């Protein structure tokens, strides 16, 4: 599946009657065709994302931007518009709390050239990791109060100031509100220390121990307004020792958290993946042999190849 170069328009604000009609009429009047429209309302906050074909529009890009902003101001909503030639920014905004391993891995990958991107800023809800960002020459902003509660208004200002294309949650231990998620849909990647959808939420390694699983892992996924439920991008797995503890799993999991997160960021920035019907897929022209979405290819040799059911018999025809 090849990527269509559409213009993306995102509208976010208080829900009210007529929002969709007002914006779609404006586009129609300028000969702009809507290829995809998705809208949602959560906690009274309205979000609409449109992908439109503006190649035949009867106005300049600057005029369309001005008209959309003017309508947004009139209706009391914010409007973001990203033309195709503006869709190639490789600026990353990294959100952190106190665990450093994912941030350090991202910085090392960028500095070595393994990840072709720029870490434009690091934003934390605590100041613990500021020295790591400072050593790399990356601006750091502490937006948390004494309890670590973040100021999301400042967060949005910083992301806009640094023209951030992708938000990476590098063990950021706070839930993003719809105010942020709606504005950066499919542009927020989180790393969670479990094999989602199992063990979402807090203390996933402890949840794994309590459940008695023999295999645990980590998951990089697109963040949504539903806690740890976004489309999965990459996963890594490891065995759980019989006498394992949450601390044991954390020591085994942290290097894999960094690895899976880096792979997911690379796949996003290289436009190697797309989301369809709530799940991620590799594009047809991607070299699949160069990508590790889950377990290493070496494990294939350890997987038994028999016995198996007769694959010539349709599943619906098998007797019970």
């Amino acid at each position: 599946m090849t990527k269509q170069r559409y213009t993306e328009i995102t509208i976010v604000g208080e829900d009210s009657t007529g929002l969709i009609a007002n914006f779609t009429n404006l586009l129609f009047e300028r000969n702009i065709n809507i290829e995809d429209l998705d809208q949602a309302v959560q906690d009274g906050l309205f979000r609409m994302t449109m992908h439109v074909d503006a190649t035949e529009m009867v106005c300049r890009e600057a005029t369309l931007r001005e008209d959309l902003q003017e309508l947004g101001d009139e209706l009391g909503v914010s409007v973001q518009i990203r033309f195709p030639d503006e869709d190639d920014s490789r600026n990353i905004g990294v959100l952190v709390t106190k665990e450093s391993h994912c941030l350090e891995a991202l910085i090392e990958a960028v500095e070595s050239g393994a990840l072709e991107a720029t870490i434009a800023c690091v934003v934390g809800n605590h100041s613990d990791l500021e020295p790591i960002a400072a050593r790399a020459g990356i601006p750091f902003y502490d937006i948390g109060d004494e309890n670590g509660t973040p100021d999301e208004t400042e967060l949005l200002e910083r992301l806009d100031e640094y023209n951030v294309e992708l938000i990476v949650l590098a063990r950021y231990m706070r839930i993003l509100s719809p105010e942020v998620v709606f504005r950066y849909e499919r542009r927020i990647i989180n790393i969670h220390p479990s094999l989602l959808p199992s063990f979402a939420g807090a203390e996933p390694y402890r949840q794994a121990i309590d459940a008695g699983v023999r295999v645990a892992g980590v998951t990089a996924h697109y963040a949504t307004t539903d806690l740890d439920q976004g489309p999965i991008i990459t996963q890594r797995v490891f065995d759980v020792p019989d006498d394992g503890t949450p601390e044991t799993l954390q020591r085994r999991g942290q290097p894999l958290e960094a690895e899976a997160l880096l792979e997911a960021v690379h796949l996003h920035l290289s436009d190697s993946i797309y989301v369809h019907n709530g799940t991620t897929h590799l594009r047809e022209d991607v070299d699949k042999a160069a990508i590790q979405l889950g377990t290493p290819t070496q494990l294939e040799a350890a997987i038994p190849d028999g016995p198996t059911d007769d694959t010539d018999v349709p599943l619906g025809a098998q007797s019970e």
Side-chain angles (χ1 to χ4, degrees), residues 297-305:
T297 54
Q298 299 92 313
L299 286 183
E300 288 293 325
I303 299 175
D305 57 6

Side-chain angles (χ1 to χ4, degrees), residues 89-245:
S89 167
R90 306 184 73 80
N91 287 348
I92 297 174
V94 183
L95 273 57
V96 299
T97 296
K98 295 183 177 182
E99 295 184 37
S100 66
H101 55 288
C102 287
L103 173 61
E104 291 176 304
L106 285 163
I107 291 174
E108 181 181 351
V110 169
E111 290 181 341
S112 69
L115 188 64
E116 296 181 1
T118 299
I119 301 178
C121 62
V122 177
V123 180
N125 63 317
H126 292 281
S127 61
D128 297 56
L129 303 189
E130 183 172 5
I132 294 175
R135 285 197 297 270
I138 302 171
F140 182 95
Y141 299 93
D142 178 6
I143 62 168
D145 62 14
E146 62 274 10
N147 298 315
T149 302
D151 181 345
E152 288 198 339
T153 298
E154 182 179 355
L155 171 60
L156 288 170
E157 290 173 352
R158 297 302 182 187
L159 296 174
D160 183 64
E161 176 185 354
Y162 287 95
N163 189 30
V164 166
E165 158 65 19
L166 177 67
I167 301 172
V168 179
L169 307 183
R171 300 299 287 130
Y172 180 65
M173 305 303 289
R174 288 285 174 169
I175 299 172
L176 294 174
S177 76
E179 287 281 357
V180 178
V181 176
F182 280 175
R183 287 171 168 81
Y184 288 88
E185 185 180 22
R186 300 286 186 267
R187 291 191 287 141
I188 305 173
I189 295 178
N190 182 43
I191 184 67
H192 184 73
S194 81
L195 288 174
L196 292 173
S198 296
F199 313 135
E203 299 191 58
Y205 287 138
R206 181 173 297 280
Q207 291 185 59
I209 291 294
D210 292 344
V213 299
R214 295 301 185 184
V215 176
V218 305
T219 304
H221 65 99
Y222 284 115
T224 65
T225 54
D226 297 319
L227 178 63
D228 296 325
Q229 297 299 307
I232 291 169
I233 305 172
T234 59
Q235 295 185 303
R236 298 290 188 272
V237 298
F238 57 89
D239 286 333
V240 178
D242 186 60
D243 58 351
T245 65

Side-chain angles (χ1 to χ4, degrees), residues 1 5 8 14 25 55 58 67 83 94 113 115 117 149 169 172 189 200-201 235 242 273 279 285 306:
M1 179 176 179
R5 301 287 286 176
E8 181 181 271
E14 184 177 346
N25 285 340
T55 55
V58 292
D67 291 346
F83 292 102
V94 183
L115 188 64
T149 302
L169 307 183
Y172 180 65
I189 295 178
Q235 295 185 303
D242 186 60
I273 52 176
T279 59
D285 58 349

